[in-house]
Amino acid sequence: AVTKTVDPQLVNAAIAQGITLLGENKAQELCEKYDSYHKDGVQIHFIGHLQTNKVRQIVDKVQMIESLDSEELAAQIDRHAAKLGLRMPVLIEINIGREPSKSGIAPEALPLFCEALKKYPALIPSGLMTIAPRCTSAEEYGVYFSEMNRLRNTVFAEKFPSVGHPLLSMGMSSSYLPALENGADIIRIGEGIFGKRDGIVNK
């Protein structure tokens, strides 16, 4: 459940109905809301773009960072996690549509990026994440999501053979069905759970 801009009371209501995984987009918002959440049996993943200077604020509050998009960020996560005696699961964010406005590494950069991550012992590379371009049909989304599935099952699996089942995080309120059809393990739903709020579309 993507909780960006959602009041903690509504988030706790969703938890009461069975939601066990929250997706947080912004470090400051997570810190402000963290103590209000009913966290028994609930995991929090950081899914938004993470600035290197914000890692320290969130590394002890989340169970996974899904938006690893640079080696500089990897080094900061490794450093701050190690200080706390933690090992942090991470997903590598892929800019599958090669959009200049979006974070993530290019698909062709994945092999070298995987190799670079092996020098950071406090990281647990666990799979891939993407935010697909906005499409008008399930078939269009499927082109991007099937490519993500291929990258997961070939490049990532080859670089990290000890990961039994690499995770694939992709698909939002408007695209979760084609994401699931193409192997998504995690889908990120905001508007589909909480609706539109204050003119902001939560996807």
Side-chain angles (χ1 to χ4, degrees), residues 150-183:
R150 186 191 69 79
L151 290 170
R152 182 258 302 265
N153 292 332
T154 56
V155 178
F156 187 91
E158 289 165 6
K159 294 295 184 180
F160 298 105
S162 64
V163 180
H165 177 78
L167 297 174
L168 198 49
S169 175
M170 60 187 190
M172 303 183 185
S173 295
S174 60
S175 59
Y176 70 92
L177 286 175
L180 289 170
E181 289 169 359
N182 284 281

Side-chain angles (χ1 to χ4, degrees), residues 8-30:
Q9 284 186 308
L10 289 176
V11 177
N12 288 334
I15 291 169
Q17 293 299 314
I19 289 292
T20 59
L21 180 56
L22 307 180
E24 289 283 341
N25 285 80
K26 296 187 179 298
Q28 181 177 340
E29 184 179 351
L30 168 58

